[in-house]
Amino acid sequence: MQKIRYAVVGAGWISQEAFMPAVPQTDNSQMTAIITGNEEAAAKLSNFYDIPHRFTYDRYDEALQSGLFDAVYIALPNHLHADYTIRALKRGIHALVEKPLASSIAECEAMIAAADESGARLMTAYRLHCEPGTVEAIRLVSSGAIGEPRFFHGIFCDQMGSANHRLKAGAWGGPLPDMGVYCVNAARHLFGTEPVEAVAMGSRGDDPRFREIKEIDSAILRFPGGGLASFTASFNGAAVDTYRIVGTEGDLEMRPGLRFETPTRMTLRRGKEVTETEFADIDHFGAQTAYFSDCILQGKASESDGAEGLADMYALLAIEEAARTGRAQTITSPPRPHHPHAGMVRMVDRTERRLLL
């Protein structure tokens, strides 16, 4: 089978923990280059995964012209996503970009335009769109399994190490773009429409980790028809990842529902009937990579495209502004033509083979 060749751009924790172990688990993708500022780490990782080529960031344009890879996986701090993605797309190199897609509406639009102009594919790395539990939750709600959905609540939190770039305001760090984006994305697809208003509040205690960013972000989104979605994201809480959507005739809960390390579990309640489902323990990063490679090989756009990343950006920035000003913010986002579906799911096995430096 033909394989799409990837360059890993940013060989930090998420690449080492999740993306790089996953790629060899697919049958249509391989890594042929690493682009990072840590040459020692690049040497060790390339040896471990048998990746033949290494480049430093100052040689990125040289790498893009080398013909050594077909696509890039962008796992850089948020404020660098747009620059590195646009440079790749303009060279006809496809781009799989971590969430959030960028740090402004203008950057997202520029990334989408670069993909449209070059014909290269752009996908926002929504791994859960290729995971069976998430897709089944969306299908059930849209099919009326809980009646009309009325409100959603999500919690996503964990502890963040003091040296992590996600604690830097200049990198658009903080729990909202890093963890809150998952709740926003889940709510949008479960309601099947785009939010129209946001209210929000953030807070911090006296922990020195949070000098530049909020410790906790909480928000409420209003959807057409009066549905409400609330969530809390934190960098200073026990590891919790769950959401629940309540409808007029039942409710659906995912616990866990957002992390990549564990299989998703669903509880569907409708009157006295309760159904528990644990979904297949697949590799989320392998699934999204296999799906994106299939899109490239088949010459079709990813359904988690740049516009999908832009849709979340409208909500995230409105939430940020609502928290800053203390005033409700209107959200104007065009409707999405589709939602995650079973055709996007890829059953890729997990592996314990990884190198963490």
Side-chain angles (χ1 to χ4, degrees):
M1 174 182 282
Q2 183 181 355
K3 294 188 177 184
I4 297 301
R5 303 169 301 162
Y6 284 83
V8 180
V9 184
W13 180 80
I14 197 64
S15 292
Q16 294 176 27
E17 174 67 32
F19 182 78
M20 298 181 77
V23 175
Q25 298 298 104
T26 71
D27 60 8
N28 63 359
S29 313
Q30 66 184 116
M31 296 175 289
T32 56
I34 299 177
I35 299 164
T36 181
N38 188 331
E39 294 185 70
E40 181 181 354
K44 292 177 180 178
L45 290 164
S46 61
N47 181 64
F48 186 81
Y49 289 106
D50 193 24
I51 300 172
H53 305 286
R54 304 192 300 271
F55 297 88
T56 51
Y57 291 129
D58 60 359
R59 297 177 61 204
Y60 186 54
D61 289 323
E62 176 189 341
L64 293 173
Q65 298 177 58
S66 69
L68 298 172
F69 48 88
D70 310 298
V72 290
Y73 168 65
I74 304 292
L76 296 164
N78 297 335
H79 68 298
L80 299 176
H81 286 187
D83 177 34
Y84 279 79
T85 300
I86 290 169
R87 287 156 71 184
L89 292 169
K90 285 184 173 180
R91 291 283 180 182
I93 305 294
H94 310 287
L96 176 61
V97 186
E98 272 301 339
K99 310 163 296 299
L101 184 62
S103 55
S104 72
I105 299 298
E107 287 182 343
C108 289
E109 291 175 340
M111 294 161 79
I112 293 167
D116 290 344
E117 291 167 10
S118 71
R121 306 298 176 191
L122 170 62
M123 175 172 162
T124 314
Y126 289 109
R127 54 180 172 75
L128 288 167
H129 291 190
C130 303
E131 184 275 324
T134 300
V135 170
E136 179 64 2
I138 294 167
R139 186 194 71 79
L140 285 168
V141 173
S142 67
S143 69
I146 63 170
E148 182 186 356
R150 299 307 297 150
F151 62 93
F152 165 104
H153 184 63
I155 301 173
F156 199 9
C157 52
D158 206 346
Q159 292 292 337
M160 185 60 62
S162 59
N164 198 293
H165 66 80
R166 293 170 180 83
L167 297 172
K168 301 295 184 184
W172 198 32
L176 174 63
D178 188 68
M179 306 181 90
V181 64
Y182 288 90
C183 299
V184 169
N185 194 262
R188 288 179 43 244
H189 289 296
L190 288 165
F191 278 108
T193 186
E194 299 303 311
V196 295
E197 188 176 22
V199 295
M201 182 177 293
S203 69
R204 62 169 66 88
D206 56 6
D207 190 314
R209 287 177 295 171
F210 306 112
R211 292 192 183 97
E212 297 186 27
I213 61 158
K214 300 290 176 55
E215 172 191 341
I216 305 167
D217 282 302
S218 291
I220 302 175
L221 298 172
R222 182 168 62 85
F223 285 81
L228 297 178
S230 61
F231 70 86
T232 296
S234 173
F235 279 170
N236 191 25
V240 177
D241 66 302
T242 184
Y243 61 85
R244 188 172 185 176
I245 185 162
V246 179
T248 54
E249 299 174 22
D251 73 273
L252 183 151
E253 181 178 15
M254 299 294 286
R255 182 189 296 265
L258 299 169
R259 296 188 71 94
F260 64 86
E261 299 94 336
T262 51
T264 52
R265 286 199 302 271
M266 176 194 295
T267 302
L268 177 64
R269 305 175 184 90
R270 189 179 173 95
K272 295 182 178 180
E273 182 181 351
V274 179
T275 304
E276 303 271 359
T277 307
E278 181 167 324
F279 293 91
D281 189 12
I282 71 161
D283 189 306
H284 294 193
F285 283 77
Q288 75 174 358
T289 305
Y291 169 69
F292 187 47
S293 292
D294 278 343
C295 290
I296 296 169
L297 291 168
Q298 296 166 17
K300 64 181 184 181
S302 158
E303 295 202 36
S304 301
D305 56 10
E308 173 67 9
L310 175 60
D312 275 340
M313 283 296 300
Y314 280 113
L316 292 173
L317 293 175
I319 290 167
E320 192 172 64
E321 184 67 5
R324 187 186 70 82
T325 63
R327 296 192 297 270
Q329 299 294 312
T330 299
I331 304 172
T332 305
S333 179
R336 294 290 291 145
H338 43 65
H339 301 281
H341 57 79
M344 300 172 67
V345 173
R346 299 292 185 273
M347 305 303 284
V348 177
D349 291 336
R350 291 188 186 273
T351 180
E352 295 301 318
R353 186 178 186 272
R354 56 178 43 79
L355 177 62
L356 297 176
L357 302 175

